[in-house]
């Protein structure tokens, strides 16, 4: 059995905090290697010190990737298929920042094309250790509905 909850277990307004992650140089180096983005703002401390940020910052899309990973680590959803992301970058993420995602269920509806699934729209804020929103947006996820005959109190 997969951990987590079915579509039917979520209500608009439900909120959850994910686990936390502290961003390291290793995260930035690994992400640069995967993405192929070796921009000096991420890789060259001497250059980065001359910018408005005053030092190296993480890739913006790395923040989104970490957000998705934190969502998965929270074991909130029983499986799921990503449908959409709408995302905004508010503040830089720096080496040493500890990040956590705040997830709020914004909308739920049964899937029209897959009756065994439901659609959940989440509002997500990625916050740092000072509770500053560094990234924010919405995420659409298709989640399995509870199978017929399986009660609401069944173990996840």
């Amino acid at each position: 059995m997969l951990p987590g909850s079915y579509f039917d277990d979520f209500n608009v307004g439900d909120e959850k905090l994910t686990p936390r992650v502290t961003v390291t140089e290793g995260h930035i180096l690994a992400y640069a290697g995967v993405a192929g983005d070796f921009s000096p703002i991420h890789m060259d401390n001497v250059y980065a010190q001359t910018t408005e940020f005053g030092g190296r910052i993480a890739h913006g899309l790395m923040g989104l990737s970490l957000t998705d990973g934190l969502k998965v680590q929270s074991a909130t959803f029983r499986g799921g298929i990503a449908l959409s992301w709408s995302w905004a970058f508010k503040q830089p993420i720096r080496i040493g920042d500890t990040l956590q995602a705040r997830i709020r269920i914004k909308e739920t509806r049964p899937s029209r094309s897959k009756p065994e699934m439901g659609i959940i729209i989440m509002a997500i804020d990625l916050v740092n250790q000072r509770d500053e929103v560094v990234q924010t947006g919405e995420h659409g996820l298709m989640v399995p509905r509870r199978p017929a005959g399986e009660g609401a109190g069944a173990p996840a």
Side-chain angles (χ1 to χ4, degrees):
M1 288 271 266
L2 290 172
S5 301
Y6 289 107
F7 165 80
D8 312 86
D9 299 322
F10 293 95
N11 297 297
V12 171
D14 288 352
E15 292 188 13
K16 179 166 185 115
L17 283 172
T18 67
R20 291 181 290 275
V21 63
T22 299
V23 176
T24 66
E25 180 166 2
H27 286 109
I28 292 173
L29 295 175
Y31 188 85
V34 168
D37 179 352
F38 297 95
S39 298
I41 192 67
H42 310 304
M43 309 303 291
D44 181 342
N45 196 50
V46 172
Y47 166 79
Q49 288 176 352
T50 69
T51 71
E52 65 187 276
F53 302 110
R56 291 170 57 201
I57 60 172
H59 303 74
L61 289 176
M62 188 185 95
L64 176 57
S65 295
L66 288 172
T67 300
D68 193 52
L70 292 170
K71 176 199 73 178
V72 171
Q73 289 175 40
S74 74
T76 299
F77 304 99
R78 183 177 290 264
I81 301 166
L83 298 175
S84 63
W85 283 96
S86 173
W87 207 241
F89 308 100
K90 299 294 187 181
Q91 294 190 46
I93 297 171
R94 301 176 185 281
I95 294 171
D97 279 353
T98 297
L99 305 175
Q100 185 172 37
R102 254 191 322 251
I103 300 172
R104 181 179 54 82
I105 304 301
K106 183 176 176 183
E107 178 185 334
T108 63
R109 68 172 174 81
S111 171
R112 291 184 283 275
S113 62
K114 297 183 181 300
E116 73 281 6
M117 304 291 276
I119 309 291
I120 296 176
I121 306 297
M122 293 166 269
I124 303 176
D125 288 333
L126 183 63
V127 298
N128 64 19
Q129 67 277 7
R130 293 177 297 282
D131 203 37
E132 299 167 332
V133 175
V134 294
Q135 297 185 2
T136 187
E138 291 185 3
H139 175 40
L141 191 68
M142 185 178 287
V143 178
R145 297 187 77 178
R146 184 177 308 286
E150 189 171 317

